[in-house]
Amino acid sequence: EPEVTQTPSHQVTQMGQEVILRCVPISNHLYFYWYRQILGQKVEFLVSFYNNEISEKSEIFDDQFSVERPDGSNFTLKIRSTKLEDSAMYFCASSEAIGDLGDYGYTFGSGTRLTVV
Amino acid sequence: QQQVKQSPQSLIVQKGGIPIINCAYENTAFDYFPWYQQFPGKGPALLIAIRPDVSEKKEGRFTISFNKSAKQFSLHIMDSQPGDSATYFCAAGPDNFNKFYFGSGTKLNVKP
């Protein structure tokens, strides 16, 4: 079964450093997302991306965050200057289609655990 | 403001029991209501989803009941098994899938 692949599985970084979280969505999917989950809490939306541009972003997704699809396969989330409160599990997701085209939902990756020290 | 409220926070049932997890949403513009199952160390996996034009949907042992007027929906797991032990999240959002609001999760433990 096709998977969304995320690397690394765990990243530890110093406060103020830049991190790049990488994702390889399912190959025929067109819609890409980042969500995060602070330990023990609910999953929170960060950003959605389609056709090489951001479709929607949350209030969490401030100027410190950016997303990019640098080539035909990767989808990255960059945090420019990490803060302690950025520590969370970051999930990438992709979707083949949306809306009444079908019951596709999202396929999530296994996540990258980011620890900011 | 919590867009989606989920209860209970945790649930313990015996094998064969029928755990029920409830969610309530705020925004009447929401058109798509998925349930996700998450095992430790894994990402959420889509279990079943419903749109507001139907009141119930079944897939295998999983059933969603949907009450549009009350803005509530629930997940029922028939004949629950120890392998169903996981955290379950409800979510709600627009039909364009642009953004989902997740509930706070229910940790289910099915005892053998």
Side-chain angles (χ1 to χ4, degrees):
Chain A
E1 190 170 327
E3 288 185 341
V4 174
T5 305
Q6 288 187 245
T7 54
S9 57
H10 190 188
Q11 174 134 14
V12 182
T13 189
Q14 297 271 346
M15 192 168 56
Q17 294 296 303
E18 174 182 287
V19 294
I20 297 176
L21 310 183
R22 301 181 192 280
C23 170
V24 179
I26 293 172
S27 61
N28 64 334
H29 285 192
L30 301 175
Y31 303 85
F32 313 112
Y33 312 87
W34 284 100
Y35 281 76
R36 78 175 185 189
Q37 186 178 28
I38 294 170
L39 187 63
Q41 297 187 26
K42 65 182 175 185
V43 178
E44 297 178 296
F45 170 77
L46 291 177
V47 66
S48 58
F49 190 87
Y50 169 69
N51 201 24
N52 280 322
E53 58 183 35
I54 290 173
S55 305
E56 189 157 350
K57 58 184 181 179
S58 72
E59 57 277 3
I60 302 168
F61 194 89
D62 61 22
D63 292 344
Q64 295 298 316
F65 291 86
S66 63
V67 288
E68 196 176 36
R69 188 152 163 82
D71 53 44
S73 58
N74 291 284
F75 180 50
T76 61
L77 174 70
K78 183 194 289 186
I79 310 176
R80 285 190 188 80
S81 178
T82 49
K83 308 183 191 78
L84 293 175
E85 55 266 35
D86 293 328
S87 295
M89 182 74 95
Y90 287 80
F91 291 107
C92 174
S94 67
S95 177
E96 180 177 358
I98 58 173
D100 59 8
L101 292 175
D103 199 15
Y104 298 97
Y106 291 170
T107 301
F108 280 91
S110 294
T112 293
R113 180 170 297 285
L114 177 66
T115 303
V116 182
V117 296
Chain B
Q1 184 193 11
Q2 256 190 302
Q3 295 276 4
V4 179
K5 291 182 185 174
Q6 183 172 346
S7 63
Q9 194 172 5
S10 64
L11 194 50
I12 301 173
V13 300
Q14 292 295 129
K15 179 182 170 183
I18 305 176
I20 300 172
I21 305 169
N22 299 299
C23 283
Y25 63 98
E26 296 286 327
N27 192 334
T28 54
F30 290 162
D31 276 337
Y32 188 75
F33 303 89
W35 284 89
Y36 286 86
Q37 179 188 56
Q38 185 179 31
F39 292 105
K42 297 288 186 186
L46 179 66
L47 200 57
I48 185 173
I50 197 167
R51 288 185 170 84
D53 52 343
V54 296
S55 59
E56 186 176 278
K57 184 173 181 181
K58 262 184 207 182
E59 279 182 13
R61 295 185 292 110
F62 301 94
T63 299
I64 301 180
S65 299
F66 186 83
N67 185 331
K68 188 174 179 177
S69 59
K71 294 190 287 183
Q72 293 175 348
F73 57 112
S74 58
L75 177 71
H76 302 230
I77 306 175
M78 305 302 177
D79 186 26
S80 58
Q81 302 296 314
D84 296 329
S85 297
T87 299
Y88 292 81
F89 290 95
C90 62
D95 207 22
N96 65 6
F97 289 14
N98 233 4
K99 175 181 186 178
F100 283 133
Y101 294 92
F102 279 76
S104 52
T106 297
K107 191 167 183 180
L108 172 65
N109 185 4
V110 181
K111 292 193 173 296

